[in-house]
Amino acid sequence: RRFTELLSGQAYNVRVTYEYDLNDGNGNRIIYGNNSISTIAKTLPTVTLTKGGEYQEFLTFSISENDPNSCGSVNSIKLLKNNSIIQTASTVSQRQFTGLLSNTSYTIRLDYRYDLNDGFGEQTILRTVDMKTVAKTTPIVEINNIVSGTDYVSFEIDVYDIDNLGGVSSVGLYQD
């Protein structure tokens, strides 16, 4: 015999009723057999959310899952700034958020849903990791090699802009 669709990790009592007649004039008799049994509990999944790289305009991360009974899955991955959702991953396999502000703190939040089939229904594991994008470097503009004549000045402009944030938009000469 087999009972199916039972809850995991639960105790049950199997009761067998046996009816018989000894043909002795006393009619039918009943005996019972009882035995306690339990279903095996499913293993609680474990999920880890780990920092990857922190860059000027994007963040990367990794997720590791150990779900031996395949009873859960990633439900959502969200990027938060000051507890407000900034982005939601377009797929549960996405492992980076792009288009971010530099030098800004963010939180990545993972929502993992599982059901151990133990009568408690769907449960949620939340994991978060705090990350910060890298600051961009303020450019430096220097005027060098100044040469003055009676009716002219010449010079060189050196710009140090390692993040390519801009460009020279104008050069002017003003009298003090």
Side-chain angles (χ1 to χ4, degrees):
R1 308 282 173 161
R2 181 181 183 102
F3 292 99
T4 60
E5 312 262 337
L6 301 177
L7 297 176
S8 72
Q10 301 294 313
Y12 293 93
N13 188 27
V14 175
R15 183 174 183 183
V16 176
T17 304
Y18 188 82
E19 193 172 323
Y20 64 96
D21 186 348
L22 294 175
N23 200 21
D24 60 3
N26 290 324
N28 287 343
R29 297 182 179 141
I30 298 175
I31 60 171
Y32 300 98
N34 291 300
N35 202 339
S36 295
I37 60 170
S38 295
T39 54
I40 298 170
K42 290 184 178 182
T43 303
L44 180 68
T46 57
V47 183
T48 306
L49 175 62
T50 307
K51 283 184 183 184
E54 295 174 312
Y55 303 93
Q56 291 178 338
E57 297 180 3
F58 69 98
L59 301 170
T60 64
F61 56 94
S62 63
I63 298 170
S64 62
E65 306 172 50
N66 183 10
D67 187 359
N69 300 115
S70 300
C71 60
S73 62
V74 174
N75 184 57
S76 68
I77 307 166
K78 298 180 189 269
L79 180 71
L80 294 89
K81 178 181 160 199
N82 299 326
N83 292 322
S84 295
I85 297 170
I86 303 300
Q87 290 184 36
T88 299
S90 57
T91 68
V92 294
S93 60
Q94 181 178 323
R95 297 296 182 261
Q96 72 174 1
F97 286 105
T98 60
L100 306 179
L101 299 173
S102 67
N103 195 32
T104 303
S105 295
Y106 294 95
T107 299
I108 297 174
R109 184 176 69 197
L110 169 69
D111 177 319
Y112 190 90
R113 305 270 172 102
Y114 67 94
D115 187 344
L116 296 177
N117 190 35
D118 56 3
F120 292 103
E122 186 175 73
Q123 303 290 314
T124 301
I125 298 172
L126 289 176
R127 296 287 183 256
T128 60
V129 65
D130 293 326
M131 299 184 75
K132 185 174 183 177
T133 50
V134 175
K136 292 185 177 183
T137 303
T138 301
I140 298 171
V141 177
E142 294 179 349
I143 300 172
N144 295 310
N145 299 323
I146 300 170
V147 176
S148 297
T150 57
D151 61 351
Y152 73 92
V153 290
S154 68
F155 53 89
E156 292 179 5
I157 300 172
D158 292 322
V159 177
Y160 303 97
D161 185 2
I162 62 172
D163 294 320
N164 296 314
L165 300 175
V168 174
S169 58
S170 69
V171 177
L173 180 65
Y174 305 92
Q175 191 171 13
D176 285 338

